[in-house]
Amino acid sequence: MSFNENAGLDTSQVSSGGGRGKMVIGGGAGLVILVLGLVFGVDTSGLLGSSDPSEPSGASTIGARCRTGADANRDVECRVVGTVNSVQAFWAQALPTYGTEYSPAQTVLYSGQTASACGTASNAVGPFYCPTDKQVYIDASFFDELTSRYGADDGALAQEYVVAHEYGHHIQDELGLLGAAQNDRQGADSGSVRVELMADCLAGVWAHGASTTTDRAGRTLLKPLTAQDIDSALSAAAAVGDDRIQQKAQGRVDPESWTHGSAAQRQTWFTTGYRTGNLKACNTLDAATL
Ligand SMILES: [Zn+2]
C-alpha cells in the first residue's frame, strides 16, 4: 500500500521486452561488457549468452493495466512502473543540484528473456542496468525469487529498492563513475563492490525523498515511508549480500570473490543514503571503510 491511490502512472517510461530488434552480442573476442545487476557480478559474460529474444510478454499490456497508484499497490508490474516514475522524478530534481542534468532512462519490463545491448536479459541474470543502451532490465518474476530464494520479505519497498538500485547505476553512469567497476571486478575491497554499495546508497537517497515525488499532474506518488517499509528495503539489501548468497550456495563465505558487498554493508550504505538524503554521502569510492 505504498502508493497514493489517485496518483497517475506514466507507462511511457517503461517498455515491454521482446521485439526490440536483435542487439545480442555473442561471447568471445575478449569483449567484456559491463553489466550492473543487483545480485550478480559485473562480468556476466558467462550468463549473458546470445539466444533469441522471446516474444513480447504480458508486459506489453502495462499501458492498459497500469494507470493509477491503486494499480501499483495491487500489481507487481504496475509497481515497477510507479517506482520508475518516482525514482526518475526524484533524480530529475535532485541531480541538477549537484551540477548534472538528469537524462531519463527507460526500464524494459520483460517476461522470460529479452535482448539488450549487453546480451540476453533473463532471470538467470536478475535485474540489471546496461550502460551500453542505458536501460534497466527487470523481469517482475524476480520479486518472487527475492522472497522465496533469497529470503527478503515481500514488502513493497523491498521491490522498490531493487528498481532504485538499478537507477543508482544509471546515476553513476551519468556521473562517469562506472569505470571503477569495469577495472576492478572482484574482492571485498574491489571497485565493483564500491560501485554496488554506492548504488545501494543512492537507492537510500531516493527513499529519503520518495514521498515528495509527484506524477505529471503534481499529485504525490508515494505515501511517507514507515519503519516497516524501511525494514523491507533492509531485508532485501541483506538478502542479496554476497556473504548471504555464498553461505547458502556453497556453505562458506569467500570475500575474494565478492562483487556487491556483504549483507551488513549493503544495509549500512542504504541506510546512509536514507538518513542523509545526500548523494555526496554515498562516496564509497573514497571511503576508508565500507
Ligand atoms: Zn548493482
Side-chain angles (χ1 to χ4, degrees):
M1 285 291 286
S2 62
F3 283 85
N4 283 314
E5 305 263 302
N6 296 329
L9 303 185
D10 176 9
T11 53
S12 73
Q13 297 177 23
V14 176
S15 43
S16 52
R20 295 183 60 79
K22 282 192 186 178
M23 298 184 293
V24 179
I25 299 166
L31 181 62
V32 179
I33 303 158
L34 185 70
V35 177
L36 297 121
L38 179 80
V39 186
F40 296 102
V42 288
D43 180 6
T44 51
S45 50
L47 285 167
L48 291 174
S50 55
S51 54
D52 290 335
S54 63
E55 289 302 302
S57 69
S60 59
T61 64
I62 54 169
R65 274 193 293 129
C66 305
R67 297 179 184 278
T68 67
D71 297 330
N73 286 336
R74 127 183 98 61
D75 180 301
V76 66
E77 291 191 331
C78 301
R79 194 170 309 131
V80 171
V81 173
T83 308
V84 169
N85 292 168
S86 173
V87 171
Q88 298 215 94
F90 174 77
W91 286 115
Q93 273 205 326
L95 204 54
T97 67
Y98 302 99
T100 303
E101 287 304 309
Y102 179 74
S103 308
Q106 200 77 5
T107 283
V108 179
L109 196 51
Y110 69 96
S111 178
Q113 59 178 38
T114 195
S116 86
C118 294
T120 303
S122 76
N123 236 355
V125 188
F128 67 90
Y129 172 72
C130 172
T132 312
D133 60 21
K134 298 189 181 293
Q135 297 191 114
V136 171
Y137 289 83
I138 296 176
D139 180 336
S141 70
F142 173 78
F143 298 124
D144 290 333
E145 278 192 45
L146 188 60
T147 52
S148 63
R149 179 175 163 195
Y150 294 100
D153 81 25
D154 61 356
L157 205 68
Q159 301 169 359
E160 292 157 13
Y161 150 76
V162 173
V163 176
H165 172 99
E166 294 308 334
Y167 274 90
H169 287 312
H170 176 58
I171 298 300
Q172 294 172 315
D173 197 7
E174 297 285 284
L175 296 172
L177 300 176
L178 292 181
Q182 180 79 277
N183 301 325
D184 183 11
R185 290 165 173 256
Q186 264 193 357
D189 197 36
S190 64
S192 173
V193 165
R194 289 173 183 272
V195 163
E196 292 297 340
L197 293 175
M198 190 193 299
D200 287 334
C201 186
L202 296 174
V205 171
W206 161 77
H208 178 93
S211 66
T212 67
T213 58
T214 58
D215 67 11
R216 285 180 296 189
R219 290 169 298 216
T220 305
L221 279 163
L222 284 151
K223 295 175 181 172
L225 301 185
T226 64
Q228 193 181 349
D229 289 328
I230 296 303
D231 283 349
S232 290
L234 291 173
S235 88
V240 291
D242 284 324
D243 53 345
R244 226 23 110 79
I245 290 173
Q246 288 178 342
Q247 188 65 47
K248 265 191 196 169
Q250 60 198 33
R252 62 187 166 81
V253 175
D254 173 25
E256 304 254 300
S257 61
W258 283 6
T259 55
H260 286 65
S262 69
Q265 288 173 323
R266 300 195 73 164
Q267 290 187 321
T268 294
W269 283 100
F270 176 85
T271 302
T272 297
Y274 177 65
R275 288 222 177 108
T276 63
N278 187 345
L279 182 147
K280 292 188 172 165
C282 297
N283 186 1
T284 55
L285 297 183
D286 294 325
T289 53
L290 296 173

